[in-house]
Amino acid sequence: MGVWNTEIKGNDTTLDIYSNFFDKYNNGGNQVWVSNEIKAEFEDYFSDSDDRNNSLFGLALAQWETKSLEPEIYKTVKEIIENGTDLDLWKELGADKKTLNDRKSELENFLKLISTEKPKAKRRVRPKFEFTTNELVKIRTIDGTKEFRINEEFTNGKYIHTSGIMEWSSGGGAGIMYYTGESKSISAKWTDNNNLEIIHEPNLTFDKKEKESFFQGDRVIIKYKTE
């Protein structure tokens, strides 16, 4: 350990447990279910001699904040702190006297914190979903009656898929094609007001691939060609 951080959440292991607990909790997971998922998902952490204490501290803190602290988890954490097990591990890893004293103080304060029931469970923070698009194609017919667009679509900055949409100026609209694959080469052109060509790179696999589209008697023929 090159840099010592004696705080309870001052290490990656505790933060992994704590953060993943609240990811699931904020998405609506019941506290008991979330705890069981964390124990299974991070089984290696809880069984590893170097990570076990910090894993238990992270889980205990998350459970305490959500008013779901398991008696067995509390008992185990209390024993680790009172028996000096965690400090012994830090000694083996080369912590100096000042660091050990700081860690001891942090552990004692942590035990004092979780030994008193939290008045109210921490509120769930619902994840925010931001939908964004990257426009690849936007072309309108010469007569202005229709427009075809191809967009890459993202949620919270994560790519979802690429979709092609036909829209009529009179109000109609329909999904024409979509595929999964960011930054694929694709373009389109109108050969006339009722014929559309979509040009794409070879071996592009479409999940949807309509060959025609209608709205109020107006028919569009769609052809796909490789570059």
Side-chain angles (χ1 to χ4, degrees), residues 70-131:
E70 298 174 62
E72 190 60 34
I73 295 292
Y74 172 76
K75 178 183 176 183
T76 303
V77 168
K78 187 172 185 289
E79 289 175 352
I80 290 171
I81 294 173
E82 291 183 341
N83 294 340
T85 305
D86 190 63
L87 293 177
D88 289 341
L89 177 60
W90 279 55
K91 287 179 186 178
E92 292 176 8
L93 293 172
D96 58 28
K97 187 174 181 179
K98 182 183 183 305
T99 300
L100 291 171
N101 286 335
D102 290 345
R103 179 64 171 178
K104 184 174 185 292
S105 178
E106 286 289 333
L107 292 173
E108 290 173 348
N109 289 334
F110 177 58
L111 180 58
K112 183 178 180 180
L113 176 72
I114 66 172
S115 295
T116 303
E117 186 175 359
K118 197 173 188 293
K120 292 183 179 179
K122 189 172 183 176
R123 292 179 61 185
R124 298 180 195 269
V125 179
R126 298 297 182 186
K128 294 181 180 180
F129 293 97
E130 181 183 13
F131 180 78

Side-chain angles (χ1 to χ4, degrees), residues 9-225:
K9 290 197 292 183
N11 64 89
D12 291 340
T13 300
T14 299
L15 281 176
D16 281 347
I17 300 294
Y18 181 86
S19 298
N20 276 273
F21 183 101
F22 277 101
D23 283 345
K24 294 175 172 57
Y25 176 73
N26 288 334
N27 274 292
N30 173 275
Q31 290 96 312
V32 174
W33 176 83
V34 171
S35 291
N36 289 334
E37 286 292 300
I38 292 297
K39 291 172 187 175
E41 185 176 339
F42 293 93
E43 182 180 0
D44 291 345
Y45 280 33
F46 287 102
S47 60
D48 183 85
S49 58
D50 288 343
D51 290 327
R52 179 175 180 270
N53 294 349
N54 287 326
S55 299
L56 288 165
F57 296 158
L59 180 58
L61 180 59
Q63 288 184 345
W64 178 80
E65 290 185 358
T66 55
K67 290 181 69 68
S68 61
L69 181 55
E70 298 174 62
E72 190 60 34
I73 295 292
Y74 172 76
K75 178 183 176 183
T76 303
V77 168
K78 187 172 185 289
E79 289 175 352
I80 290 171
I81 294 173
E82 291 183 341
N83 294 340
T85 305
D86 190 63
L87 293 177
D88 289 341
L89 177 60
W90 279 55
K91 287 179 186 178
E92 292 176 8
L93 293 172
D96 58 28
K97 187 174 181 179
K98 182 183 183 305
T99 300
L100 291 171
N101 286 335
D102 290 345
R103 179 64 171 178
K104 184 174 185 292
S105 178
E106 286 289 333
L107 292 173
E108 290 173 348
N109 289 334
F110 177 58
L111 180 58
K112 183 178 180 180
L113 176 72
I114 66 172
S115 295
T116 303
E117 186 175 359
K118 197 173 188 293
K120 292 183 179 179
K122 189 172 183 176
R123 292 179 61 185
R124 298 180 195 269
V125 179
R126 298 297 182 186
K128 294 181 180 180
F129 293 97
E130 181 183 13
F131 180 78
T132 56
T133 62
N134 176 31
E135 188 174 270
L136 302 179
V137 173
K138 184 178 181 180
I139 52 173
R140 183 177 287 271
T141 54
I142 295 174
D143 64 5
T145 59
K146 296 174 284 293
E147 183 176 81
F148 179 66
R149 300 195 313 273
I150 300 177
N151 292 322
E152 290 182 326
E153 300 175 358
F154 303 81
T155 299
N156 294 338
K158 184 178 181 180
Y159 174 79
I160 308 170
H161 59 234
T162 302
S163 64
I165 301 171
M166 185 83 68
E167 289 189 343
W168 276 260
S169 56
S170 54
I176 300 302
M177 41 70 50
Y178 73 86
Y179 60 83
T180 302
E182 189 176 2
S183 301
K184 298 292 186 181
S185 178
I186 191 165
S187 60
K189 66 178 182 180
W190 291 100
T191 56
D192 58 38
N193 292 322
N194 293 92
N195 285 274
L196 176 71
E197 285 187 359
I198 297 175
I199 305 96
H200 59 87
E201 65 181 63
N203 303 317
L204 180 59
T205 301
F206 289 85
D207 299 296
K208 182 177 183 177
K209 191 177 180 180
E210 299 292 347
K211 295 183 178 180
E212 57 184 17
S213 187
F214 297 87
F215 181 68
Q216 294 183 342
D218 189 10
R219 182 188 184 199
V220 175
I221 304 299
I222 305 163
K223 294 181 179 180
Y224 298 81
K225 294 184 176 180

